[in-house]
């Protein structure tokens, strides 16, 4: 049966609350994953220039469009401006490259991947001399022109802390619809949620399951969110899997959430989250697992003036 995923309406944009994540989805598997997801009812697909798989994500989307499974207007495709394109004169270049790779005329939302800029050509900086100090507010203003040109329908932020969101809100002509950040019981970010909700900015949760470890293994057993005894016990209580409990946790709090999988059975399983609710007590129990643990640290930009994560130790600046 085709799932009917609810949407959040904000600033005229209808964001489907559950999206398919594609970070670390290999090019040879992601087109099929996107196809399986769209067939099952996913409409929100999240990718990024950085992921190096926009062409294959686009292939999956275009296959679904060309065989009539879905119409373009019913999809919500999100990609992101990487930090090597932060100089205002480079912003359109980043957008155009993404659209070329996706094989689409426009995306539904274009996010600034993070506040720090990098000089390039290294994708990630190898030393502080690779940092570029373009103010992300200037980058944002250049992104606004992309909406005027019809290349994206809306704009958003990613990995911004509340002070940084505030600066953009203060100076923007087009408001960010979302701030996409890491969120899960080990990093519940209650203050950021409160702040963004007070400003009508949707928070989209990434890495809800604890992400995919590089090289296949987590550094420590404490970081295995899907195996946390509290999460596992809650799954048993609700007759759901730990992954479904973790997705529901975000939906219950009015957020949108991205679930990455290239495994068809999991792509389908992750959709089965609209037929149960967590009690307030259980949400509090999940929040109390907080250990300020980040799976995605932007380590290589730790000394950048716009490094966003206040809860992380900083090297000398
Ligand atoms: P995630 O969704 O928390 O975890 C993905 C991992 O969980 C994969 O190894 C996946 O395996 C596994 N998985 C998926 N469904 C499962 C299930 N039902 N049961 C057990 N395991 C399951 O990690 P993420 O990729 O870091 O985050 C989600 C998405 O958010 C990303 O893909 C990306 O689109 C976005 N994101 C954005 C940023 C940013 O800076 N803006 C950063 C990180 C992520 P299989 O694929 O092998 O099934």
């Amino acid at each position: 049966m085709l799932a009917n995923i609810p949407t959040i309406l904000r600033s005229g944009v209808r964001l489907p609350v559950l999206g398919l994540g594609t970070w670390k989805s290999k090019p040879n598997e992601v087109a099929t994953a996107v196809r399986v997801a769209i067939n099952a009812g996913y409409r929100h697909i999240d990718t990024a220039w950085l992921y190096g798989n926009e062409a294959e994500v686009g292939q999956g989307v275009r296959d679904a469009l060309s065989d009539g499974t879905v119409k373009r207007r019913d999809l919500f495709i999100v990609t992101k401006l990487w930090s090597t394109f932060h100089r205002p004169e480079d912003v359109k270049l980043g957008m155009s490259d993404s659209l070329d790779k996706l094989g689409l005329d426009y995306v539904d939302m274009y996010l600034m991947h993070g506040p720090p800029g990098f000089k390039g050509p290294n994708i990630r900086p190898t030393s502080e001399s690779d940092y570029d100090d373009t103010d992300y507010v200037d980058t944002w203003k250049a992104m606004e022109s992309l909406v005027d040109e019809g290349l994206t329908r809306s704009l958003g932020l990613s990995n911004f802390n509340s002070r940084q969101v505030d600066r953009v809100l203060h100076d923007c002509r087009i408001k960010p619809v979302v701030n996409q950040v890491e969120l899960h019981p080990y990093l519940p970010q209650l203050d950021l949620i409160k702040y963004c909700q007070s400003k009508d900015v949707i928070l989209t949760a990434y890495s809800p399951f604890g992400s995919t470890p590089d090289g296949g293994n987590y550094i420590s057993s404490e970081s295995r969110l899907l195996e946390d005894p509290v999460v596992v016990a809650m799954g048993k209580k609700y007759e759901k899997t730990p992954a479904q409990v973790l997705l529901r946790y975000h939906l219950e709090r009015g957020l949108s959430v991205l679930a990455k999988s290239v495994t068809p059975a999991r792509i389908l399983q992750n959709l089965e989250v609209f037929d149960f609710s967590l009690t307030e007590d259980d949400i509090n129990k999940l929040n109390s697992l907080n250990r300020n643990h980040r799976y995605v640290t932007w380590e290589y930009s730790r000394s950048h003036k716009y490094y966003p994560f206040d809860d992380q130790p900083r090297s000398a600046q």
Side-chain angles (χ1 to χ4, degrees):
M1 202 181 73
L2 187 70
N4 198 0
I5 297 178
T7 55
I8 305 176
L9 180 63
R10 203 58 52 82
S11 308
V13 174
R14 259 185 204 287
L15 179 75
V17 294
L18 174 67
L20 180 77
T22 64
W23 185 35
K24 298 186 183 172
S25 298
K26 296 193 182 77
N28 63 350
E29 49 193 20
V30 73
T32 306
V34 167
R35 229 23 211 100
V36 168
I38 292 175
N39 280 349
Y42 286 76
R43 295 294 175 260
H44 175 176
I45 312 287
D46 180 83
T47 184
W49 185 90
L50 178 71
Y51 302 167
N53 60 12
E54 286 172 308
E56 295 76 12
V57 168
Q59 186 61 56
V61 168
R62 283 179 282 109
D63 287 350
L65 292 173
S66 64
D67 71 11
T69 307
V70 75
K71 294 200 166 50
R72 178 65 188 90
R73 63 169 179 267
D74 296 325
L75 289 174
F76 200 92
I77 310 297
V78 180
T79 193
K80 312 184 189 85
L81 179 83
W82 183 237
S83 297
T84 49
F85 297 104
H86 270 209
R87 286 168 293 244
E89 63 274 23
D90 292 341
V91 165
K92 189 165 175 192
L93 202 68
M95 169 97 266
S96 303
D97 199 40
S98 285
L99 288 176
D100 284 352
K101 288 178 171 141
L102 285 162
L104 298 174
D105 299 332
Y106 70 93
V107 290
D108 297 276
M109 191 178 288
Y110 197 44
L111 306 184
M112 196 184 321
H113 209 140
F118 309 141
K119 283 191 186 132
N122 295 328
I123 289 182
R124 293 185 176 87
T126 55
S127 74
E128 288 178 33
S129 63
D130 288 338
Y131 291 171
D132 173 82
D133 62 2
T134 299
D135 187 335
Y136 51 81
V137 172
D138 295 329
T139 308
W140 183 262
K141 289 180 180 168
M143 289 173 70
E144 291 177 329
S145 306
L146 303 174
V147 178
D148 302 336
E149 290 182 56
L151 302 178
T152 179
R153 295 274 156 97
S154 64
L155 297 175
L157 303 168
S158 180
N159 297 302
F160 274 58
N161 65 37
S162 51
R163 278 173 289 102
Q164 293 169 329
V165 176
D166 212 57
R167 279 195 68 222
V168 173
L169 286 176
H170 188 262
D171 273 354
C172 67
R173 175 168 62 84
I174 298 176
K175 200 178 154 179
V177 177
V178 308
N179 186 20
Q180 187 186 114
V181 298
E182 179 170 348
L183 269 178
H184 43 70
Y186 291 168
L187 189 73
Q189 305 233 49
L190 301 182
D191 289 343
L192 186 60
I193 293 179
K194 207 162 145 197
Y195 168 79
C196 285
Q197 289 184 335
S198 77
K199 298 288 177 184
D200 264 349
V201 173
I202 302 170
L203 270 179
T204 296
Y206 74 63
S207 304
F209 308 137
S211 203
T212 306
D214 284 320
N217 287 307
Y218 287 112
I219 299 161
S220 67
S221 58
E222 287 100 80
S223 55
R224 290 174 194 272
L225 184 52
L226 281 168
E227 293 168 22
D228 187 288
V230 172
V231 177
V232 171
M234 230 175 261
K236 291 205 175 103
K237 171 177 164 185
Y238 289 98
E239 299 184 346
K240 289 285 179 182
T241 64
Q244 289 168 329
V245 167
L246 290 169
L247 293 176
R248 189 68 216 172
Y249 165 72
H250 298 294
L251 300 176
E252 219 65 83
R253 301 184 302 159
L255 313 180
S256 63
V257 59
L258 300 170
K260 178 266 176 184
S261 181
V262 291
T263 313
R266 288 174 172 173
I267 293 172
L268 301 184
Q269 182 197 116
N270 296 342
L271 269 181
E272 306 288 321
V273 290
F274 299 104
D275 57 355
F276 76 114
S277 307
L278 302 175
T279 64
E280 209 173 319
D281 265 5
D282 283 338
I283 294 172
N284 290 338
K285 214 182 265 179
L286 291 170
N287 282 336
S288 71
L289 298 178
N290 182 21
R291 50 181 78 161
N292 282 336
H293 181 85
R294 284 184 185 275
Y295 295 95
V296 184
T297 59
W298 283 61
E299 189 61 39
Y300 42 83
S301 68
R302 213 172 267 261
S303 303
H304 196 291
K305 68 191 278 199
Y306 296 133
Y307 184 73
F309 305 140
D310 300 332
D311 48 26
Q312 298 291 296
R314 303 285 301 266
S315 37
Q317 234 194 111

